[in-house]
């Protein structure tokens, strides 16, 4: 019995010794494995387009998923890519266990959207999150420049926009440069005293307008002031008059002209303080021929876009004769070129922003005589005649050019007060073009040719806008002392067309007509 007891004790002891190390080994293995599996990041922040590799330490393969693929995606290998701004969760699944990382995606952003700087100081701009090359540009290098590394250098007082571009996206910063040594705002009396000697009256054989010196011997004005002129003289504040030397450049669409006048002058300075609604402004010009008229007001809209051109809208009084004169700020700087007004509204006046002047091409100046000769040759694109049967003198007549009148793309331009002679046949249609520079009522009238068989009422007359849409149409009916009033229409600034159509039921053979525009 004792022998059997000793044998059982030996077997149990053997079994016990065998089981203990095996059990301990298993427990340590689980603890080691649990401790080894770990996500390398539990939260990260990226910019759109950025990537980051998440990893589970000690594990070669896991299943990856994104809580919102619109914000960030994750590959089968754990590579995260930022898509758009927001926050989502990336999850790695290993068996029944999940390991999570909170991901925040941010948009690229310029380091400062606005900067205020003193002249001759430097500040640094960057685009946070940008990985590629950044291209920098200043809208006005006279106010501030920027280097390829984003260093902004303030040059002179004013407001300028700096643009950084990367990966086909642009980021802007508005930079305001202040010159602490610059003079303070001027009183109205001081603005007039400083600027009126540099303002001129422009006299042509067609009209009176205004202008101003902006550089030595250079006078700025509206193109419509000199359009069609065969004589242009510049009259200074002291009454002295000088002949135009040459035209350095002009742009009909912008309605701007740069003239060369050989006379010593004190040029005005351009605006370096930006444009703000409510700021005080001043206008100088020859209102209705009253030379050196000085008015004031405020900016009522800092940037009014009309026909793709930037205007400053003000309530500073201007009228006919002010065209081409300066719009000035409280520092005596030129903000714009006074150009037009809406006569049917109250205090709706407009000046072309001075920054538009840089668009005028000055590479091909022409002499004053060459400009006059071109106007004489074109003769309003028609042929002037004289004779006692004409309703006006020889400068008031234009004949139809039949090679141009059949299409609005080639038709002749008509000025206010010019009588147009033309003719139409069955189913014929003639076009003429005219431009209104300020809101005005346009009258279309005429005199029939002195032939008993002619009947002007067999015509239809219409005014079309630049898109070819009819704004007014009528047949002549009202007769007053032999003159027919065809129609009248109030038009806003822009280019328009007169269309003349023969009544197909009445006019068979070529029949003449006459009309005139006045506005």
């Amino acid at each position: 019995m004792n022998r059997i007891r000793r044998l059982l004790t030996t077997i149990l002891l053997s079994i016990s010794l065998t089981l203990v190390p095996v059990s301990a080994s298993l427990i340590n293995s689980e603890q080691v494995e649990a401790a080894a599996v770990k996500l390398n990041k539990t939260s990260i922040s990226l910019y759109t387009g950025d990537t980051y590799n998440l990893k589970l330490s000690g594990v070669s393969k896991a299943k990856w998923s994104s809580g919102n693929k619109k914000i960030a995606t994750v590959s089968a290998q754990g590579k995260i890519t930022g898509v758009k701004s927001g926050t989502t969760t990336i999850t790695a699944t290993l068996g029944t266990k999940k390991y999570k990382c909170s991901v925040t995606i941010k948009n690229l952003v310029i380091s400062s959207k606005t900067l205020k700087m003193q002249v001759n100081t430097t500040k640094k701009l960057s685009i946070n999150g940008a990985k590629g090359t950044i291209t920098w540009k200043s809208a006005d290098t006279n106010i501030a420049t920027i280097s390829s590394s984003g260093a902004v250098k303030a040059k002179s007082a004013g407001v300028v926009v700096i643009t950084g571009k990367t990966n086909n996206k642009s980021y802007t910063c508005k930079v305001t440069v202040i010159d602490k040594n610059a003079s303070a705002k001027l009183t109205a009396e001081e603005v007039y005293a400083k600027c009126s000697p540099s303002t001129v009256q422009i006299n042509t054989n067609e009209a009176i307008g205004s202008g101003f010196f902006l550089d030595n011997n250079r006078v700025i004005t509206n193109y419509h002031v000199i359009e069609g002129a065969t004589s242009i003289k510049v009259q200074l504040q002291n009454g002295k008059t000088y002949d135009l030397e040459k035209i350095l450049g002009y742009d009909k669409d912008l309605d701007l002209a740069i003239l060369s006048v050989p006379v010593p002058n004190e040029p005005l300075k351009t605006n370096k303080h930006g444009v703000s609604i409510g700021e005080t402004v001043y206008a100088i010009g020859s209102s209705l021929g009253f030379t050196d008229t000085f008015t004031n007001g405020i900016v009522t809209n800092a940037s009014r876009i009309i026909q793709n051109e930037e205007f400053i809208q003000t309530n500073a009084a201007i009228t006919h004769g002010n065209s081409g004169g300066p719009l000035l700020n409280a520092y005596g700087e030129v903000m714009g070129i006074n150009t037009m007004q809406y006569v049917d509204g109250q205090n709706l006046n407009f000046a072309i922003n001075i920054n538009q002047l840089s668009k005028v091409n000055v590479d091909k100046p022409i002499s004053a005589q060459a400009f006059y000769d071109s106007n004489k040759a074109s003769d309003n694109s028609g042929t002037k005649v004289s004779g006692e049967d004409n309703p006006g003198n020889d400068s008031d007549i234009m004949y139809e050019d039949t090679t141009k009148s059949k299409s609005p793309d080639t038709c002749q331009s008509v000025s206010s007060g010019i009588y147009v002679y033309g003719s139409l046949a069955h189913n014929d249609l003639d076009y003429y073009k005219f431009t209104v520079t300020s809101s005005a009522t346009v009258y279309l009238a005429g005199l029939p040719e002195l032939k008993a068989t002619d009947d002007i009422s067999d015509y239809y007359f219409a005014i079309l806008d630049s898109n070819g849409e009819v704004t007014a149409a009528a047949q002549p009916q009202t007769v007053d002392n032999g003159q027919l009033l065809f129609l009248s229409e109030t038009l806003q600034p822009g280019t328009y067309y007169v269309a003349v159509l023969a009544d197909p039921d009445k006019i068979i053979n070529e029949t003449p007509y006459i009309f005139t525009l006045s506005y």
Side-chain angles (χ1 to χ4, degrees):
M1 178 64 69
N2 290 332
R3 186 176 60 85
I4 293 172
R5 187 181 290 114
R6 287 195 298 272
L7 178 60
L8 289 175
T9 300
T10 302
I11 292 171
L12 288 173
L13 183 59
S14 175
I15 292 172
S16 176
L17 291 173
T18 304
L19 291 177
V20 170
V22 171
S23 177
S25 175
L26 290 173
I27 292 172
N28 290 338
S29 176
E30 291 176 359
Q31 290 176 343
V32 170
E33 181 181 351
V37 178
K38 186 178 180 181
L39 199 59
N40 61 333
K41 287 284 186 179
T42 57
S43 66
I44 59 172
S45 179
L46 303 174
Y47 287 98
T48 54
D50 278 357
T51 61
Y52 183 83
N53 290 319
L54 281 178
K55 294 180 181 179
L56 278 176
S57 57
V59 177
S60 61
K61 190 171 184 181
K63 183 178 179 181
W64 297 91
S65 62
S66 170
N68 190 336
K69 294 180 180 179
K70 292 183 179 180
I71 294 175
T73 61
V74 63
S75 70
Q77 292 75 38
K79 182 179 181 180
I80 302 173
T81 301
V83 178
K84 72 172 186 178
S85 62
T87 301
T88 188
T89 300
I90 301 298
T91 303
T93 303
L94 183 64
T96 60
K97 294 187 177 181
K98 297 182 182 295
Y99 304 85
K100 296 184 178 182
C101 176
S102 175
V103 178
T104 300
I105 305 300
K106 299 182 292 185
N107 287 328
L108 272 66
V109 64
I110 196 164
S111 55
S112 298
K113 292 187 177 180
T114 60
L115 285 177
K116 288 187 176 180
M117 305 176 63
Q118 292 282 352
V119 171
N120 293 326
T121 61
T122 301
K123 289 188 178 182
K124 185 72 180 296
L125 280 177
S126 61
I127 297 177
N128 297 335
K131 300 299 182 183
T133 301
I134 302 174
T135 303
W136 295 101
K137 183 178 180 182
S138 169
D140 190 340
T141 55
N142 292 320
I143 297 176
T145 60
I146 185 164
S147 69
S148 59
S149 62
V152 181
K153 177 66 179 294
K155 306 283 286 185
S156 62
V159 179
V160 64
V161 174
I162 301 292
T163 302
K165 188 173 183 180
T166 182
N167 294 329
N168 295 321
K169 288 188 177 181
S170 296
Y171 305 84
T172 60
C173 174
K174 182 180 179 182
V175 178
T176 302
V177 180
I178 301 170
D179 187 352
K180 61 182 180 181
N181 297 318
S183 59
K185 291 183 179 180
L186 307 176
T187 65
E189 292 89 345
E190 289 170 335
V191 170
Y192 172 77
K194 177 181 179 180
C195 301
S196 61
S198 302
T199 305
V200 302
Q201 178 172 300
I202 297 177
N203 303 314
T204 80
N205 59 303
E206 298 285 341
I208 290 176
S210 302
F212 56 94
F213 285 102
L214 198 61
D215 202 348
N216 290 328
N217 303 329
R218 289 191 177 194
V219 169
I220 310 303
T221 189
N222 287 132
Y223 176 77
H224 76 258
V225 171
I226 64 168
E227 184 175 17
T230 55
S231 173
I232 302 173
K233 296 181 182 295
V234 175
Q235 180 179 322
L236 305 187
Q237 184 191 42
N238 59 16
K240 292 184 179 180
T241 300
Y242 297 86
D243 290 325
L244 175 69
E245 182 181 62
K246 58 185 174 182
I247 299 176
L248 301 174
Y250 64 84
D251 190 306
K252 293 183 181 180
D253 294 331
L254 293 175
D255 196 15
L256 292 172
I258 304 174
L259 315 180
S260 176
V261 182
V263 56
N265 61 87
E266 184 65 32
L268 297 176
K269 294 181 179 180
T270 56
N271 176 28
K272 299 299 182 184
H273 291 82
V275 183
S276 300
I277 294 176
E279 70 171 295
T280 301
V281 291
Y282 304 91
I284 304 178
S286 297
S287 305
L288 296 177
F290 289 96
T291 306
D292 205 29
T293 298
F294 184 63
T295 60
N296 71 336
I298 63 170
V299 173
T300 54
N301 190 288
S303 180
R304 183 74 72 185
I305 305 301
I306 302 174
Q307 295 183 346
N308 297 319
E309 188 170 11
E310 185 179 18
F311 289 81
I312 301 169
Q313 181 180 326
T314 80
N315 62 1
I318 60 173
T319 187
H320 299 294
N322 274 105
S323 291
L327 181 72
L328 305 158
N329 62 16
Y331 300 93
E333 300 167 341
V334 181
M335 305 172 71
I337 301 97
N338 294 314
T339 299
M340 63 182 181
Q341 62 175 156
Y342 280 84
V343 295
D344 292 332
Q346 293 184 341
N347 298 322
L348 296 175
N349 307 312
F350 299 86
I352 300 171
N353 194 311
I354 193 66
N355 62 23
Q356 302 290 287
L357 190 63
S358 62
K359 298 180 181 179
V360 178
N361 187 348
V362 292
D363 293 336
K364 297 181 179 179
I366 62 172
S367 68
Q369 190 58 52
F371 182 73
Y372 302 152
D373 291 343
S374 67
N375 290 329
K376 292 175 182 177
S378 62
D379 203 21
N380 288 312
S381 301
T383 304
K384 293 178 182 176
V385 298
S386 60
E388 61 182 10
D389 290 336
N390 292 332
N393 59 44
D394 61 320
S395 64
D396 296 327
I397 308 301
M398 187 181 84
Y399 269 82
E400 173 194 8
D401 184 341
T402 56
T403 65
K404 299 180 179 180
S405 60
K406 306 307 176 187
S407 169
D409 294 328
T410 59
C411 64
Q412 300 156 262
S413 295
V414 182
S415 300
S416 178
I418 298 294
Y419 277 81
V420 179
Y421 280 64
S423 60
L424 284 173
H426 181 71
N427 283 335
D428 211 348
L429 180 64
D430 286 347
Y431 293 93
Y432 299 89
K433 180 168 65 175
F434 67 98
T435 300
V436 178
T437 58
S438 61
S439 177
T441 300
V442 176
Y443 296 91
L444 183 64
L447 285 171
E449 287 278 30
L450 301 178
K451 296 180 181 179
T453 58
D454 293 341
D455 187 357
I456 196 68
S457 65
D458 292 341
Y459 291 97
Y460 292 89
F461 290 82
I463 295 177
L464 315 178
D465 64 19
S466 58
N467 295 319
E469 299 292 330
V470 176
T471 63
Q475 281 184 289
Q477 292 182 354
T478 303
V479 180
D480 184 10
N481 295 327
Q483 182 159 351
L484 302 174
L485 175 63
F486 300 165
L487 57 86
S488 64
E489 184 73 2
T490 299
L491 302 176
Q492 300 305 317
T495 298
Y496 297 87
Y497 300 87
V498 174
V500 187
L501 175 67
D503 188 332
D505 296 327
K506 296 181 180 180
I507 294 180
I508 305 299
N509 299 317
E510 194 84 357
T511 305
Y513 60 81
I514 300 176
F515 75 87
T516 185
L517 282 171
S518 60
Y519 49 93

